[in-house]
Amino acid sequence: MIIGRRLRALREKKGLSQGDMQKRSGLLRPYISRVENGHTVPQIDALEKWAGALEVPMYQLFYDGKEPPEVPEIVKRRSADDTAWGSSGRDGRYLLKVRRLLGRMDENDRLLILGMVQKMTQPARRFR
């Protein structure tokens, strides 16, 4: 489905011109035209304004039915604790060893290591 066609159909069904949509939504008429003609893909905030201007729930911008679509049953996943790194196995033993070693250090050394790790995980900066 091309979203522009759907938005145009909804606007025309309501009997609104692109100028009316501009007044109701705050979106510029040329932008509305570009979206409806498929030259631009609207962002979520623009779609929210569009739905508000058309006085329809946002799902109707994507769905033809009268009632909201049924939400599919999602497979129950394991909790984050079950899948977290270091929760079991070799990684768990490694993390336990790191915790023990950090526990033996004084606060200043722990802060130094924390600062080094934070520095190492920052994206590399490129100089021109």
Side-chain angles (χ1 to χ4, degrees):
M1 161 176 56
I2 296 176
I3 189 69
R5 288 185 198 155
R6 176 76 179 146
L7 294 172
R8 174 180 281 159
L10 288 169
R11 177 181 59 77
E12 290 174 347
K13 184 178 176 183
K14 293 274 187 174
L16 299 171
S17 68
Q18 289 181 347
D20 296 333
M21 283 298 293
Q22 178 176 340
K23 290 175 188 169
R24 288 174 160 224
S25 67
L27 300 170
L28 296 176
R29 197 202 59 72
Y31 175 75
I32 293 169
S33 176
R34 285 194 316 268
V35 170
E36 288 183 353
N37 290 312
H39 299 291
T40 301
V41 178
Q43 293 184 359
I44 296 295
D45 60 335
L47 290 172
E48 288 173 341
K49 291 177 182 179
W50 219 295
L54 293 171
E55 298 173 341
V56 297
M58 193 148 154
Y59 76 85
Q60 284 189 353
L61 301 181
F62 307 99
Y63 178 71
D64 252 346
K66 298 288 181 199
E67 297 294 319
E70 288 186 29
V71 178
E73 188 174 322
I74 299 174
V75 178
K76 184 171 172 91
R77 297 180 185 205
R78 296 190 300 180
S79 70
D81 294 336
D82 294 341
T83 60
W85 180 86
S87 61
S88 64
R90 191 174 99 202
D91 294 335
R93 289 188 299 274
Y94 179 79
L95 184 58
L96 184 62
K97 184 176 180 180
V98 169
R99 285 180 57 198
R100 267 188 267 143
L101 293 171
L102 287 172
R104 293 181 192 165
M105 294 180 175
D106 67 0
E107 185 64 20
N108 289 334
D109 290 339
R110 279 194 296 269
L111 290 173
L112 176 65
I113 289 176
L114 178 64
M116 289 181 351
V117 170
Q118 286 174 334
K119 194 71 165 171
M120 291 188 310
T121 57
Q122 289 178 351
R125 294 183 184 173
R126 296 185 181 200
F127 296 101
R128 294 182 192 202

